[in-house]
Amino acid sequence: HSFSLTLIDALDTLLILGNVSEFQRVVNVLQEGVDFDIDVNASVFETNIRVVGGLLSAHLLSKKAGVEVEVGWPCSGPLLRMAEEAARKLLPAFQTPTGMPYGTVNLLHGVNPGETPVTCTAGIGTFIVEFATLSHLTGDPVFEDVARKALKALWKNRSDIGLVGNHIDVITAKWVAQDAGIGAGVDSYFEYLVKGAILLQDKELMSMFLEYNKAIKNYTKFDDWYLWVQMYKGTVSMPVFQSLEAYWPGLQSLIGDVDNAMRTFLNYYTVWKQFGGLPEFYNIPQGYTVEKREGYPLRPELIESAMYLYRATRDPTLLELGRDAVESIEKISKVDCGFATIKDLRDHRLDNRMESFFLAETVKYLYLLFDPDNFIHNDGSVFDVVVTPYGECILNAGGYIFNTEAHPIDPAALHCCRKQKEEQWEVEDLMREFYSLKRNKKFTLKRASDHGEGESVQDSVDASSENGREKRNSKKNAHSLLSCPSQSFNSKLAVLGQVFLDNT
Amino acid sequence: MTSISSLIRVLLPKVQVLKEDEAREEIQRNHSSCRAKDVTRPAKLPVNFFSTRSPVIDLFRGQLDYADHLRQDSEIVLYFFYAPWCGQSIAAREEIEHVASRLSDQVLFVAVNCWWNQGKCRKQKHFFYFPVIHFYHRSFGPIEYKGPMSAVYIEKFVRRVMTPLLYISSRSKLLDFLSNYEPGVLGYFEFNASPQPPGYLTFFTSALHSLKKDYLGTIRFGVITDKHVAEEISLVHSGSVYLHRHVNTSLIYPNDIMNYTAENICKWALENREMLIRWLRPHGGKSLLLNNELKKGPALLIFIPYNPLAEIHPLLDEITKVALEYHSCNKSQAAEPVLQHLGDVDSPAFDSPVPDVHTELSETFSITKYPCCNTVVLPQWHSISRTHNVCELCINQTFGVKPNKVNVPHCNFLEIEAALDSFYLQEHTFFQVISNTIECSNFLSFYSPFSYYTACCRTVNRHFLSFISSEKTIFQTPKVAFSSHGKKDKDDTQNSIPHIEDRNCFIPDLHDNGTNITGLSCRTNKTLNLYLLDSNLFWIYAERLGASRSTHLKEFAAIVDLKEEVHYVLDQNQSLTGSTLENFIKNFSILYSPLKRHLVDDPSVHFHAQRIITEVTTNTFHDTVFSNEKNVLLLYYAQWCGFCASLNHIFIQLARLLPPDNFTVARIDITRNDLPWEFMTDRLPTILFFPHQRKEQSVKFPEDFPVNLPNLLKFILHYSSLSSSDHCTKECLHKETVLQQGHISHLEREIQKLRSEISALHQAHDKLEEQLSKARREEQRLQQQKHTLEKQHKTLQLHSEQLQSTYDQKNQELLAMAEKLQELADASENLLKENTLLRILVASKEGKLQLKDKAKEPVQSEQTLSDDNDVSVSTAATTLGEKRIDNIDTIETEHSSENRTG
């Protein structure tokens, strides 16, 4: 099982690196040899981001990789069916009173009796990207629905000051670990609010994120570092930087907060320069590693942020980090058959393991940082036209959304299957209008129809109250939530380490 | 803003709590359940970082003690502390080697691996970054080098550490020293009595000390030993320290107020130095340098390629001269005695022929240290004033070298002559002015003012290209080149007044009185701060401000006004010279500035006619949007903005739907392309629609509606008006046909699409059929299998029944056997019981026998004895039992030991 896990995880890396033939070979291997009907306890979170995410991205990229796809692609295909099968194995975990999933599920028997109800926040809020994609491609709304329900449950249980803790009991909705921060245990929840909002053009998710962002800035941010605080009181509980937090600048740059992103990134980069990697925990006031957390398993987060920021700023400092990362990984962790986890950054002792995210993420982001012409960076100047039984689709026009395991999802693919037909007819009517000589009709723009059609009454009540809040917000700031601020004048000079204060 | 240090105080106790928290700090991605064994491997042993042939001594095992020991061998030592994995160290290695190859005979270069945790260095030093470069000058040190990691800069610094004090032996050297734009500190020490005059060592140390503080080395230290030379700057007492300033009064170190220590001198010099123009050298780490400098007000950033090792910097000299001019405004201020005295001697020579207008200006010059410069400027005459500026510079350069220097008489003569001539000729033709000044610049041809002058002529000519190409020849044979140019363009110059900045239109507004550069910084309310940047290191900032990427000459100047969010750029068709800079500054300073906000555009975008979405840049914006008969839908986007990129496919679809004859779908990357204010937007994505008949009435797609194809189409339909068909002319009919043709082709495309869709459906259908038949066959096969399985099941059932019956039978037999065994056991138990009873009986018999033996004893004791017997019998029984338990125990221990070995 673990063998195919790394294979699935590293599959799209092969394509991004340009190794098409190996991609094709692996796709064949997977179709023959992967079986999810096994008596194995699997992490719901990990299975989703690695297996479901990896299979979805491989499915969407397979045509580009020269794999002969079946009729109906991208709305059907062997890899998509595998992803769906894997995702279905996870659904039992969501059968809880709160809708928040258990952390572990048995692939064969469902949730084990006596399973702990404590799940970390990220383990609850990191499904929307894969599950919504799955729902849009297969036409079965169940995946997106459970993912949304879990997100809403977390949102409902945030503290009065707007923060979420680290672990929660999915039965009683009581917070078990009340440290609030942006790193371990929480990280990808925030990431998926933003990426979900972008992928689905969803204001509600974005407004959730923006509220969190406010609270995070208010309570956890000091000198461009983000600390850990008590979620109800906002008092600092740990003045540490965790290497997992290094995704944050990248996320900020996606929504246009480039100045803040760069400032935080430069803080993190100093830690890298001190050790040649990022320790799991770094004590900020002491300027050193934290005991038992000195390792660096070649995590991708800082490089990921560098890639996003380089898109935004073209700052050579970011390439310098890339160079440093390549040197470090080569000089420190290269062993005979792979790249070893650095057990201790203080002396660069190595561990006898290589993480699967090294191939899936670290290598991918490093490559993309140095390859501005990679198809992943496509700005929309090239695209593919695909004819499906559901109509014509524009695909691969860029704007790929990476899931938290660095598996790219083409946002255009979500508009390709099933649902599209209605829209097509509407467009057809409009085009007829277009060519008619007299225009009598009035054209009213349509707001987004509410996504979850299969939601229960209770949920819709919740949603309407949330909508009310959203409306109030939108009155305050007139601009759309689904937009970035354009960059300030001084951003022209904000390169090579230069940062500017108060851009407002 | 909470600073880190205050954080430390608040948070330190909490770090202790952390360890307990770790337990619940489950790292999400740590799935370490299937780890084989906790095997780790220590880091690889360190190896040579520098090659063995390198002049750098490489202590790759971090032998810090040996490194310290080496210090005794050399006066100057450079330590290069590195970490072998560090990219920065690796990049700097080459630079250090380069410097070492040039200076290894005078300086000891020692590289120390300060990462290896077994090494002394790592144990004793705690660096937050690598590489770290430390210098020692004998015992003084460490002086940390924090400048750019480039060989020339490092070498320059090494040289400064080698000779922190310049020896000023003569007046000419003194003047050289003083004319430099960098602040200078001079000490006067009489070396006649003791081997070292008192205070000299302190002064020397303060020079070294300044290198520690001011790593760019912009304060120069010099020492004067000659009394007469010292008198030039009115230093009389040995031990005096003097800080030279160009615009403000120079200072003498106040011995009476501050203690005479190296630190104090250095501090004093740093605090009081004059910064007319500053080098900006961002170190690459997070810094607020530009923020702090640019927040002070508008800034002129000048980018020039700079080699710190070069002997002369003509362009730099020219620029600093402009800076000096710009800042010299303290007219009423008294300068230090010597120079004033010198100035007084000279100025009458000027003053006498120069009438009223200039007396005031000549005063300025006599007071400041560059009297000549300020004297001869004629502000009313822009072009003439330029020639005058040239004259000033000549005087400036040679001023004060009055006694016995070759240049001096010439200069004095010429400066007077030039001043006189220019004044006299100001109402005459340009040509004459030029020809006059040519001589002046010719004379001073090895000074930078020369090219300064050249530029003036050029602007008159407006022959930029020919100018650039001819510049070199001008340098060599200036006279000829100049006069010829001047002559040729005589006519031109009269009606085209040179206004350098504006390339499109000619603005004669420099007639304004206040545009004299001299002292402008005090007269204008838009004071500029002047900065220099080395374009070898920081060209990226120039590119960001719009420096053209095509020029290989990396010279560029821009005025950045952070508050107003604008910047202006010195026309890049002109070369960067003193006069162009001067004009640039002047144009910025005057009330109705002719400078136009510079709009940076993205040069990497090439116009693609075939592109389905037109990519607009700053330069093509107007043409695409306005000078166009079509309706234009314009998307403002940025590559980094997630909300924009995910809409790509919608715009592509839209562009494919709309008839290209009537519609343009365009987009502009707003991060790389500036637009005039009225077209700027503060949110991305923004969608604007420009209807073809009323381009000025652009409409914005409402932000609170989702961006999708139907909405976009409705939006366009709503705002794009077709010509109403009420009064239909021929033209209108034609339009209609065009439209209908468009419709037809659209429908044809649709049909095509539908056909392909149908074929896709057919294919899918075939596939399904195939799969269905496959499934049916499969079903049949399964059915058959089911049958055979059922049969097998039946036979198996029979078999199992049989087995069951035999099992029952055997079971019964077993039960019978068990019963028999039970009987046997009972029997043996009975036997055992009997046996014990017998034993007791035997024992009691024996007892009775003994009793009979002791019959002589008294009868009273008989009772007790029988009691005793009872006791002994019971003890016998218990010992028996104990023995048995012991046995069991040993068996058990044996068993468990077996287990362990097994």
Side-chain angles (χ1 to χ4, degrees):
Chain A
H1 183 69
S2 63
F3 166 69
S4 50
L5 182 82
T6 302
L7 258 190
I8 294 172
D9 223 8
L11 188 48
D12 47 20
T13 302
L14 285 172
L15 180 63
I16 285 169
L17 266 55
N19 195 339
V20 176
S21 56
E22 196 65 2
F23 182 98
Q24 293 166 357
R25 198 180 66 83
V26 174
V27 167
N28 287 330
V29 169
L30 287 179
Q31 282 181 54
E32 285 157 17
V34 176
D35 180 13
F36 297 114
D37 278 321
I38 42 174
D39 187 4
V40 162
N41 293 331
S43 156
V44 181
F45 168 87
E46 297 288 346
T47 311
N48 176 50
I49 64 166
R50 293 176 198 226
V51 179
V52 180
L55 288 169
L56 278 176
S57 94
H59 164 70
L60 290 176
L61 293 173
S62 53
K63 188 166 191 200
K64 193 165 203 74
V67 176
E68 202 170 306
V69 295
E70 64 183 46
V71 187
W73 181 91
C75 312
S76 71
L79 294 174
L80 178 64
R81 284 188 287 276
M82 279 166 71
E84 188 183 346
E85 196 194 339
R88 284 200 193 281
K89 297 281 176 194
L90 304 180
L91 289 179
F94 289 83
Q95 303 297 317
T96 62
T98 59
M100 296 190 277
Y102 282 97
T104 309
V105 73
N106 186 293
L107 293 184
L108 199 60
H109 308 300
V111 178
N112 288 319
E115 178 64 47
T116 170
V118 176
T119 310
C120 70
T121 311
I124 294 163
T126 313
F127 294 94
I128 190 73
V129 169
E130 295 84 359
F131 277 24
T133 306
L134 208 49
S135 282
H136 280 250
L137 292 181
T138 61
D140 184 347
V142 65
F143 303 106
E144 187 174 341
D145 288 348
V146 296
R148 275 186 190 278
K149 206 176 162 207
L151 283 177
K152 274 184 190 157
L154 277 178
W155 174 244
K156 229 167 54 183
N157 286 300
R158 70 192 187 281
S159 74
D160 289 343
I161 59 172
L163 294 171
V164 287
N166 219 277
H167 286 76
I168 194 168
D169 187 319
V170 297
I171 307 292
T172 62
K174 291 268 177 297
W175 289 99
V176 177
Q178 303 185 345
D179 291 309
I182 57 168
V186 199
D187 49 3
S188 47
Y189 170 42
F190 296 138
E191 181 184 345
Y192 270 37
L193 285 179
V194 170
K195 290 182 172 172
I198 294 173
L199 192 68
L200 303 167
Q201 294 286 308
D202 190 314
K203 284 183 185 171
E204 195 186 347
L205 296 181
M206 196 59 201
S207 75
M208 286 184 197
F209 176 79
L210 291 175
E211 288 292 319
Y212 282 129
N213 197 24
K214 241 185 259 168
I216 286 164
K217 272 189 183 157
N218 276 346
Y219 294 100
T220 75
K221 191 177 175 189
F222 295 89
D223 256 356
D224 302 324
W225 294 99
Y226 293 87
L227 312 181
W228 288 81
V229 301
Q230 215 284 337
M231 65 175 282
Y232 292 106
K233 290 178 258 169
T235 49
V236 174
S237 60
M238 294 189 293
V240 296
F241 155 59
Q242 305 178 347
S243 69
L244 280 175
E245 292 165 10
Y247 76 102
W248 189 254
L251 194 65
Q252 284 180 309
S253 86
L254 261 184
I255 58 168
D257 198 359
V258 180
D259 306 301
N260 279 316
M262 202 59 209
R263 280 151 59 167
T264 299
F265 174 87
L266 288 166
N267 278 3
Y268 296 169
Y269 190 14
T270 61
V271 180
W272 182 288
K273 283 179 178 164
Q274 193 180 346
F275 296 104
L278 292 185
E280 293 286 25
F281 284 33
Y282 178 81
N283 186 313
I284 298 160
Q286 289 178 348
Y288 211 65
T289 56
V290 172
E291 205 182 327
K292 297 227 181 81
R293 304 285 181 169
E294 300 97 347
Y296 174 56
L298 311 183
R299 284 193 192 282
E301 281 78 7
L302 191 64
I303 300 162
E304 172 188 351
S305 281
M307 184 204 75
Y308 283 115
L309 278 168
Y310 189 69
R311 260 188 208 172
T313 67
R314 304 273 149 189
D315 186 343
T317 310
L318 300 159
L319 297 184
E320 246 170 60
L321 169 91
R323 176 202 64 186
D324 288 357
V326 171
E327 290 288 359
S328 274
I329 291 169
E330 281 274 329
K331 293 249 155 58
I332 302 165
S333 76
K334 191 174 181 181
V335 290
D336 291 342
C337 47
F339 293 87
T341 286
I342 300 171
K343 172 96 175 166
D344 189 337
L345 271 179
R346 292 169 304 175
D347 59 4
H348 289 172
R349 176 172 285 274
L350 299 179
D351 205 344
N352 186 20
R353 56 190 281 116
M354 180 175 89
E355 298 292 344
S356 126
F357 55 68
F358 175 71
L359 292 179
E361 301 188 71
T362 313
V363 170
K364 194 184 286 163
Y365 285 131
L366 253 183
Y367 192 87
L368 287 174
L369 173 63
F370 288 111
D371 184 17
D373 297 329
N374 197 286
F375 76 89
I376 287 287
H377 295 311
N378 179 10
D379 65 352
S381 41
V382 290
F383 56 90
D384 297 334
V385 182
V386 177
V387 177
T388 73
Y390 309 99
E392 187 189 84
C393 291
I394 304 295
L395 289 179
N396 292 319
Y400 295 93
I401 301 292
F402 283 99
N403 87 336
T404 195
E405 187 75 3
H407 298 304
I409 304 285
D410 182 356
L414 271 70
H415 299 264
C416 192
C417 307
R418 268 82 180 179
K419 247 186 166 180
Q420 209 208 1
K421 207 72 219 181
E422 291 167 38
E423 195 182 292
Q424 254 184 8
W425 287 329
E426 196 182 352
V427 167
E428 207 36 64
D429 288 345
L430 287 167
M431 285 310 289
R432 200 176 313 134
E433 199 65 36
F434 217 85
Y435 287 107
S436 77
L437 291 174
K438 280 180 191 168
R439 223 166 268 166
N440 306 319
K441 274 193 196 169
K442 279 211 165 180
F443 302 98
T444 45
L445 305 185
K446 248 207 291 189
R447 290 186 192 277
S449 59
D450 255 339
H451 6 259
E453 288 114 342
E455 280 176 2
S456 67
V457 184
Q458 176 127 28
D459 276 336
S460 64
V461 170
D462 274 354
S464 69
S465 74
E466 296 295 357
N467 281 347
R469 189 184 301 207
E470 190 185 305
K471 260 173 211 160
R472 255 175 280 133
N473 281 347
S474 62
K475 260 180 205 168
K476 240 188 287 171
N477 32 346
H479 60 77
S480 161
L481 293 172
L482 301 177
S483 67
C484 308
S486 52
Q487 280 189 283
S488 58
F489 172 75
N490 53 28
S491 68
K492 287 187 200 303
L493 296 171
V495 287
L496 298 182
Q498 293 305 307
V499 297
F500 289 84
L501 293 178
D502 56 1
N503 281 325
T504 45
Chain B
M1 190 74 103
T2 322
S3 74
I4 282 293
S5 57
S6 66
L7 256 183
I8 295 171
R9 258 176 280 122
V10 181
L11 305 175
L12 262 181
K14 287 172 180 154
V15 183
Q16 306 308 320
V17 186
L18 184 74
K19 284 167 198 161
E20 292 142 38
D21 286 345
E22 279 171 18
R24 53 195 160 110
E25 268 304 317
E26 261 291 306
I27 289 183
Q28 187 50 41
R29 303 208 191 159
N30 203 355
H31 58 114
S32 52
S33 52
C34 50
R35 182 182 300 213
K37 271 172 194 172
D38 261 341
V39 179
T40 65
R41 175 200 279 188
K44 290 162 217 164
L45 287 178
V47 291
N48 266 314
F49 190 66
F50 285 85
S51 80
T52 42
R53 278 163 294 138
S54 163
V56 181
I57 299 169
D58 186 4
L59 305 176
F60 59 87
R61 284 193 205 87
Q63 306 99 307
L64 192 65
D65 44 349
Y66 184 61
D68 284 334
H69 175 76
L70 282 173
R71 220 162 73 204
Q72 298 163 2
D73 301 348
S74 177
E75 196 177 348
I76 313 289
V77 185
L78 179 150
Y79 289 115
F80 178 74
F81 297 106
Y82 66 87
W85 46 263
C86 159
Q88 201 79 270
S89 302
I90 294 165
R93 173 171 61 188
E94 226 176 281
E95 309 289 322
I96 290 290
E97 264 190 327
H98 187 76
V99 180
S101 68
R102 287 166 58 96
L103 291 171
S104 57
D105 49 335
Q106 300 161 74
V107 178
L108 189 65
F109 289 82
V110 184
V112 187
N113 177 349
C114 216
W115 177 256
W116 193 46
N117 65 323
Q118 305 295 313
K120 271 244 164 59
C121 187
R122 177 72 193 281
K123 283 174 182 163
Q124 288 178 22
K125 299 212 182 267
H126 184 198
F127 292 130
F128 281 87
Y129 55 88
F130 298 96
V132 175
I133 296 179
H134 282 176
F135 283 94
Y136 280 88
H137 185 116
R138 294 222 181 83
S139 61
F140 187 89
I143 304 167
E144 186 174 354
Y145 173 74
K146 293 176 190 152
M149 283 296 160
S150 119
V152 277
Y153 277 88
I154 299 170
E155 184 177 339
K156 176 74 180 174
F157 195 79
V158 178
R159 290 188 185 278
R160 278 207 127 129
V161 175
M162 286 159 71
T163 45
L165 282 185
L166 293 167
Y167 177 43
I168 309 298
S169 55
S170 65
R171 300 185 73 165
S172 68
K173 282 208 170 148
L174 175 67
L175 285 159
D176 275 353
F177 186 86
L178 295 183
S179 66
N180 196 305
Y181 70 99
E182 289 174 340
V185 175
L186 286 169
Y188 167 48
F189 296 95
E190 266 176 1
F191 276 83
N192 36 20
S194 55
Q196 258 186 6
Y200 174 70
L201 196 66
T202 312
F203 185 65
F204 184 85
T205 316
S206 79
L208 283 172
H209 212 83
S210 82
L211 290 173
K212 247 186 183 178
K213 288 266 151 58
D214 175 35
Y215 56 88
L216 301 174
T218 44
I219 296 189
R220 297 157 306 118
F221 280 72
V223 62
I224 300 170
T225 53
D226 184 276
K227 199 178 161 192
H228 301 289
V229 178
E231 272 169 3
E232 293 283 343
I233 50 168
S234 74
L235 294 184
V236 206
H237 304 292
S238 174
S240 324
V241 175
Y242 166 93
L243 172 67
H244 181 68
R245 302 201 291 187
H246 294 283
V247 172
N248 297 305
T249 330
S250 297
L251 296 175
I252 290 178
Y253 184 73
N255 278 320
D256 41 342
I257 304 170
M258 295 169 86
N259 285 335
Y260 190 81
T261 63
E263 279 91 352
N264 279 349
I265 294 173
C266 179
K267 212 177 116 197
W268 169 78
L270 278 170
E271 278 169 5
N272 293 300
R273 69 179 157 173
E274 206 171 55
M275 302 283 264
L276 299 177
I277 187 159
R278 267 193 68 180
W279 278 104
L280 292 180
R281 294 202 183 96
H283 52 70
K286 185 178 170 187
S287 122
L288 285 168
L289 177 70
L290 285 182
N291 176 72
N292 295 342
E293 294 302 329
L294 297 182
K295 288 256 158 96
K296 288 176 186 166
L300 172 60
L301 305 179
I302 304 162
F303 295 81
I304 53 167
Y306 178 71
N307 177 3
L309 293 174
E311 291 285 323
I312 51 159
H313 302 280
L315 184 54
L316 185 58
D317 290 341
E318 222 177 295
I319 292 164
T320 46
K321 235 126 271 173
V322 175
L324 268 175
E325 284 285 301
Y326 185 63
H327 284 293
S328 32
C329 41
N330 299 340
K331 294 172 188 176
S332 56
Q333 193 194 336
E336 63 273 27
V338 176
L339 284 178
Q340 192 172 22
H341 166 74
L342 292 171
D344 284 344
V345 174
D346 277 350
S347 49
F350 283 94
D351 277 345
S352 47
V354 173
D356 304 326
V357 198
H358 291 97
T359 15
E360 192 193 324
L361 288 165
S362 59
E363 269 170 34
T364 317
F365 98 67
S366 67
I367 286 159
T368 59
K369 274 135 260 169
Y370 288 92
C372 287
C373 301
N374 300 348
T375 337
V376 258
V377 177
L378 297 173
Q380 286 92 337
W381 302 82
H382 34 271
S383 50
I384 292 172
S385 74
R386 258 177 225 107
T387 61
H388 279 259
N389 282 341
V390 177
C391 300
E392 296 159 29
L393 282 171
C394 321
I395 301 157
N396 192 2
Q397 281 294 322
T398 48
F399 172 72
V401 205
K402 210 169 39 173
N404 62 30
K405 272 285 145 194
V406 195
N407 301 7
V408 175
H410 293 273
C411 176
N412 271 345
F413 168 73
L414 275 166
E415 74 189 10
I416 295 160
E417 191 190 36
L420 282 172
D421 283 350
S422 40
F423 179 67
Y424 168 66
L425 287 167
Q426 63 171 293
E427 281 165 333
H428 292 244
T429 61
F430 284 96
F431 169 61
Q432 278 168 307
V433 177
I434 289 164
S435 69
N436 260 312
T437 43
I438 284 162
E439 286 177 33
C440 176
S441 53
N442 186 22
F443 170 70
L444 286 171
S445 61
F446 67 95
Y447 278 113
S448 48
F450 173 71
S451 52
Y452 176 150
Y453 173 71
T454 337
C456 292
C457 288
R458 267 347 96 176
T459 53
V460 174
N461 294 340
R462 294 195 161 219
H463 287 172
F464 301 128
L465 290 172
S466 66
F467 161 55
I468 289 165
S469 60
S470 64
E471 195 172 37
K472 270 188 183 164
T473 47
I474 292 164
F475 256 94
Q476 284 145 10
T477 56
K479 206 179 215 164
V480 184
F482 263 87
S483 37
S484 67
H485 268 293
K487 271 171 197 159
K488 235 185 277 170
D489 293 296
K490 182 183 165 187
D491 291 335
D492 274 17
T493 51
Q494 266 168 334
N495 40 24
S496 74
I497 295 165
H499 182 81
I500 302 175
E501 271 56 58
D502 207 280
R503 51 190 140 146
N504 300 325
C505 54
F506 142 74
I507 301 167
D509 50 11
L510 277 179
H511 286 285
D512 190 320
N513 223 340
T515 51
N516 182 356
I517 185 85
T518 310
L520 186 59
S521 74
C522 311
R523 280 184 279 123
T524 175
N525 50 6
K526 294 200 281 185
T527 307
L528 278 172
N529 297 308
L530 311 180
Y531 299 100
L532 288 165
L533 290 103
D534 184 353
S535 44
N536 293 328
L537 302 170
F538 305 112
W539 186 245
I540 183 170
Y541 292 113
E543 278 182 357
R544 289 300 181 108
L545 293 170
S548 93
R549 274 153 232 243
S550 53
T551 57
H552 40 260
L553 192 67
K554 288 190 169 175
E555 289 171 2
F556 180 74
I559 290 170
V560 177
D561 191 339
L562 213 57
K563 211 163 142 200
E564 298 293 321
E565 305 199 334
V566 288
H567 75 286
Y568 311 100
V569 164
L570 178 66
D571 184 0
Q572 291 176 73
N573 290 319
Q574 297 174 4
S575 60
L576 181 70
T577 63
S579 67
T580 52
L581 263 185
E582 235 173 66
N583 274 300
F584 190 39
I585 296 172
K586 281 184 205 164
N587 283 340
F588 174 75
S589 306
I590 59 176
L591 195 56
Y592 297 103
S593 169
L595 297 183
K596 292 220 175 81
R597 174 178 165 236
H598 186 78
L599 305 176
V600 180
D601 92 320
D602 186 357
S604 65
V605 172
H606 302 293
F607 186 77
H608 274 288
Q610 294 114 324
R611 272 220 183 143
I612 203 151
I613 293 179
T614 313
E615 192 78 44
V616 178
T617 66
T618 305
N619 291 337
T620 61
F621 174 74
H622 200 270
D623 287 351
T624 317
V625 175
F626 290 102
S627 326
N628 185 326
E629 283 296 287
K630 301 177 190 173
N631 295 297
V632 179
L633 187 83
L634 181 66
L635 165 71
Y636 290 80
Y637 78 106
Q639 257 191 51
W640 44 266
C641 176
F643 300 108
C644 303
S646 58
L647 297 179
N648 284 346
H649 64 103
I650 293 172
F651 282 88
I652 292 166
Q653 269 178 306
L654 183 72
R656 281 160 60 87
L657 273 177
L658 294 175
D661 300 333
N662 304 329
F663 285 93
T664 303
V665 178
R667 63 173 193 174
I668 181 163
D669 183 344
I670 209 67
T671 329
R672 313 237 152 99
N673 293 283
D674 291 339
L675 286 182
W677 293 123
E678 60 269 33
F679 299 110
M680 296 280 267
T681 173
D682 58 346
R683 302 297 297 185
L684 301 169
T686 291
I687 301 159
L688 287 187
F689 184 64
F690 299 84
H692 79 282
Q693 283 163 329
R694 316 161 257 121
K695 285 283 167 90
E696 67 292 342
Q697 288 174 24
S698 61
V699 272
K700 190 170 162 190
F701 185 80
E703 273 173 343
D704 44 343
F705 286 94
V707 181
N708 56 35
L709 207 48
N711 275 350
L712 281 173
L713 280 173
K714 283 178 196 164
F715 171 66
I716 294 170
L717 275 172
H718 190 260
Y719 289 104
S720 71
S721 60
L722 292 168
S723 51
S724 59
S725 48
D726 288 348
H727 347 273
C728 214
T729 56
K730 226 178 189 181
E731 198 191 338
C732 154
L733 275 171
H734 176 71
K735 267 190 181 169
E736 245 177 62
T737 32
V738 169
L739 190 73
Q740 288 314 319
Q741 268 166 1
H743 195 181
I744 289 163
S745 61
H746 170 74
L747 287 175
E748 275 169 356
R749 277 201 303 275
E750 283 304 310
I751 289 166
Q752 207 107 46
K753 250 198 259 176
L754 283 173
R755 275 191 190 138
S756 55
E757 221 176 288
I758 288 165
S759 79
L761 277 170
H762 273 300
Q763 272 177 298
H765 178 77
D766 291 348
K767 197 99 182 184
L768 269 176
E769 288 274 286
E770 202 181 298
Q771 275 173 354
L772 198 67
S773 63
K774 222 193 228 171
R776 281 194 186 123
R777 265 176 276 143
E778 191 78 351
E779 199 195 339
Q780 213 162 1
R781 202 171 56 81
L782 283 172
Q783 209 86 42
Q784 280 172 349
Q785 258 181 9
K786 196 183 155 198
H787 277 298
T788 50
L789 279 172
E790 267 168 8
K791 267 183 204 164
Q792 278 175 356
H793 184 70
K794 264 180 196 166
T795 48
L796 277 172
Q797 229 161 11
L798 274 174
H799 206 75
S800 85
E801 269 164 30
Q802 278 174 0
L803 278 172
Q804 188 67 37
S805 60
T806 43
Y807 169 78
D808 287 346
Q809 204 181 330
K810 291 275 173 197
N811 215 13
Q812 296 225 317
E813 279 172 25
L814 272 171
L815 275 174
M817 289 285 274
E819 257 169 53
K820 274 178 195 167
L821 276 169
Q822 189 62 40
E823 272 168 34
L824 269 172
D826 287 351
S828 65
E829 201 151 319
N830 281 342
L831 278 171
L832 259 173
K833 267 185 197 163
E834 277 167 30
N835 193 15
T836 27
L837 278 172
L838 275 171
R839 266 199 212 162
I840 294 164
L841 210 69
V842 169
S844 62
K845 287 279 179 202
E846 273 172 8
K848 276 178 186 165
L849 277 174
Q850 277 175 356
L851 232 143
K852 275 176 191 167
D853 288 346
K854 291 177 184 175
K856 302 143 199 175
E857 282 176 35
V859 190
Q860 299 130 304
S861 56
E862 213 169 87
Q863 188 67 41
T864 15
L865 257 174
S866 69
D867 276 0
D868 267 355
N869 270 348
D870 279 349
V871 172
S872 63
V873 169
S874 63
T875 32
T878 38
T879 40
L880 212 89
E882 271 170 10
K883 258 184 196 164
R884 213 176 283 157
I885 288 161
D886 276 357
N887 247 4
I888 291 163
D889 271 354
T890 48
I891 288 165
E892 263 180 9
T893 45
E894 268 173 26
H895 191 73
S896 58
S897 64
E898 255 176 16
N899 251 3
R900 249 180 263 135
T901 48

